[in-house]
Amino acid sequence: MQTKLHRWATDDLGRRFGDLFNLVYDPAFLMHAWERVSSNVGARTPGIDRATVVQIETWIGVEAFLDQIRDSLKSGEFTPVEVRQVMIPKASGKLRKLGIPTVADRVVQASLKSVLEPIFEAEFLPCSYGFRPNRRAHDAIAEIHHLASEPINYHWVLEADITACFDEIDHTALMDRLRARIKDKRVNALVKAFLKSGVMTTDGTREETWTGTPQGGILSPLLANIALTALDEHFARQWQQETSTWRQRNRRRTRGQGNWRLIRFADDFVLMVSGDRHHAEELRGEVASVLAPLGLRLAPDKTRVVHIDEGFDFLGHHIRRLRKRGTSKYYVYTKPSKKAVQAVKDKVLAKTHRSTRNQDLAELILSLNRMLRGWANYFRHGVSKAIFGAIDAFTWGRLMRWIRRKYAGKARLGMVEFRRRFCDRGWRIAHQGVAFTGASSVSVKRYRYRGGNIATPWTPDPAAADS
């Protein structure tokens, strides 16, 4: 059914879809939604009703629970309840607001997303990479690398960030964009009900949600992408009208005009500019004018113009052009940003704090290996080998001190005794058959640039069609 929806939406970009609500409460869609919700990391996190996935499975049963949701949707009695507000610390020291819906609301949101996503994926543009199927942060980084390198040479960068994007999206503007594609009034009413469901704050008071879509909801990233498509479409129109061919771009250069491309990952985006600094600076006001009707504004402290030789951070990576050692040629390199490196060091510090010395050493080593391997897998496509080694050296030192204090006894555990008891293969820490491997166990590999035409899960396979 999703493949059909996507095909119909792709074949007719002006089509408005009706009679979708029956799919939202279809048993297959609801079961698919339940599987997604129950396998999610936040399955153990309750909403305001304090019910978790495990409790529902034990007390009610999955089939009975989904039947209740289906009946309430069919009868029109289903009403989303307030999300439970949770404050999450950010790296900057500020707090991020998360809204945790109840399990029932999560299931309905997941089913609703399964219906809407194939339709809107047909009109989402290639410059958008965040929270979309088959797309990831590495594709956005590869696109920046491609544009900044020779022979394209988009060397100026407008690095932008939207202030509290998920909290400030204008509901009227968002619903107008939704209704342009969806004419089923019940679906639109259900989406609006989730937007207006309200927030139960940490002190137990209820707040109305006049703007925004709560972070933490399954539907929120899709709704944010629907709203921010206005930004993608604005620059796509410019590209098609003024710079789509090499001759047009070259003519603009000879006239002293700039060329630019947008790369967006959710509410973080950059504009890669070929020209001068003032071309990039002029885009700041243009972006602000596009975002204003959506109720959004740029964050002044996170929006700046830089040259690729100065470098900038994007999605945890630091991207910069440098001269290759021993040559006169310049290349664009990506590596983990200082903030990303400090974040993983902070996690190592937390895991090896003195309060954790009651843990078993083998369990601690396994935990550190998993964490560092997961972190390194994200950054494996940059020039990260030296940084991986530095992280491992830092972790080895923390782990060594943790062991020496845990097993010191009455006398201090010397390094000779430490090496004899807790190391194999030289100085590699190991215990009960578990060895510390760290980030360096992940091989560094160049990411293959896939271009802008990345197939969706519902795009027909040409090879299969030919056969």
Side-chain angles (χ1 to χ4, degrees), residues 32 122 145 283 359:
H32 175 74
H145 191 281
L283 292 173
Q359 281 189 72

Side-chain angles (χ1 to χ4, degrees), residues 29-93:
F29 275 81
L30 287 176
M31 181 55 71
H32 175 74
W34 170 264
E35 290 171 354
R36 176 170 181 177
V37 170
S38 61
S39 62
N40 192 277
V41 177
R44 293 178 294 179
T45 306
I48 62 169
D49 60 358
R50 296 296 173 182
T52 64
V53 167
V54 174
Q55 290 172 345
I56 290 170
E57 290 174 336
T58 305
W59 298 343
I60 305 175
V62 175
E63 290 186 8
F65 178 69
L66 295 182
D67 285 341
Q68 290 176 6
I69 293 176
R70 187 168 187 266
D71 292 341
S72 63
L73 285 170
K74 285 181 68 176
S75 63
E77 297 175 355
F78 179 84
T79 303
V81 298
E82 300 88 347
V83 297
R84 183 170 66 89
Q85 189 178 82
V86 178
M87 308 301 287
I88 304 296
K90 298 169 65 175
S92 60

Side-chain angles (χ1 to χ4, degrees), residues 35 37 66 114 135 142 204 223 274 281 285 294 387 392 437 448:
E35 290 171 354
V37 170
L66 295 182
S114 296
R135 288 170 171 258
L223 296 179
S274 171
E281 291 285 0
L294 301 173
I387 292 178
D392 285 352
T437 53
R448 181 174 62 86

Side-chain angles (χ1 to χ4, degrees), residues 155-182:
H155 288 162
W156 287 97
V157 183
L158 174 63
E159 182 188 1
D161 185 82
I162 301 173
T163 300
C165 174
F166 284 84
D167 296 331
E168 297 187 2
I169 292 176
D170 183 76
H171 288 174
T172 302
L174 173 57
M175 291 304 300
D176 286 345
R177 295 192 68 85
L178 187 74
R179 292 190 185 102
R181 203 64 158 138
I182 309 297

Side-chain angles (χ1 to χ4, degrees), residues 200-412:
M200 189 65 69
T201 62
T202 52
D203 60 2
T205 58
R206 186 184 188 280
E207 290 183 356
E208 298 290 341
T209 47
W210 304 111
T211 61
T213 174
Q215 290 192 64
I218 294 174
L219 194 60
S220 295
L222 175 62
L223 296 179
N225 269 334
I226 291 172
L228 291 172
T229 301
L231 186 67
D232 306 341
E233 291 172 349
H234 173 81
F235 288 103
R237 279 194 300 269
Q238 284 188 350
W239 178 263
Q240 291 296 328
Q241 295 170 4
E242 303 174 20
T243 60
S244 60
T245 66
W246 177 85
R247 291 183 182 276
Q248 287 177 315
R249 293 192 294 273
N250 193 51
R251 190 182 302 121
R252 287 176 62 86
R253 290 191 193 97
T254 56
R255 293 175 179 176
Q257 297 174 303
N259 300 311
W260 44 81
R261 296 296 300 271
L262 171 72
I263 297 97
R264 182 175 66 82
F265 191 94
D267 57 335
D268 292 327
F269 63 92
V270 296
L271 278 157
M272 305 295 296
V273 181
S274 171
D276 299 324
R277 175 182 281 272
H278 77 275
H279 294 135
E281 291 285 0
E282 288 173 353
L283 292 173
R284 192 193 301 253
E286 189 173 335
V287 170
S289 65
V290 176
L291 294 177
L294 301 173
L296 302 175
R297 53 202 169 87
L298 292 174
D301 57 328
K302 296 182 180 180
T303 302
R304 63 188 186 121
V305 172
V306 297
H307 193 272
I308 194 66
D309 290 348
E310 301 172 56
F312 66 100
D313 293 346
F314 189 64
L315 304 179
H317 293 76
H318 183 72
I319 308 168
R320 186 178 182 183
R321 190 179 71 158
L322 296 167
R323 183 176 62 83
K324 186 177 181 180
R325 187 179 302 173
T327 71
S328 59
K329 294 185 177 181
Y330 283 77
Y331 295 93
V332 178
Y333 295 96
T334 64
K335 65 179 182 179
S337 67
K338 291 182 179 178
K339 185 181 291 186
V341 171
Q342 187 57 52
V344 75
K345 284 185 175 180
D346 290 342
K347 290 181 179 179
V348 171
L349 287 169
K351 284 182 177 292
T352 56
H353 191 262
R354 62 175 176 266
S355 61
T356 66
R357 288 183 201 147
N358 61 327
Q359 281 189 72
D360 180 71
L361 175 57
E363 291 180 2
L364 176 60
I365 294 174
L366 279 173
S367 177
L368 288 169
N369 282 342
R370 281 194 297 266
M371 183 192 71
L372 294 177
R373 190 162 54 246
W375 182 86
N377 272 320
Y378 180 75
F379 292 106
R380 67 181 299 186
H381 302 295
V383 284
S384 308
K385 187 175 181 180
I387 292 178
F388 288 177
I391 293 294
D392 285 352
F394 172 81
T395 307
W396 189 96
R398 289 290 306 179
L399 191 54
M400 177 269 294
R401 287 187 284 274
W402 187 92
I403 293 170
R404 293 181 70 189
R405 286 169 173 79
K406 178 179 175 70
Y407 296 97
K410 295 182 179 179
R412 184 175 177 84

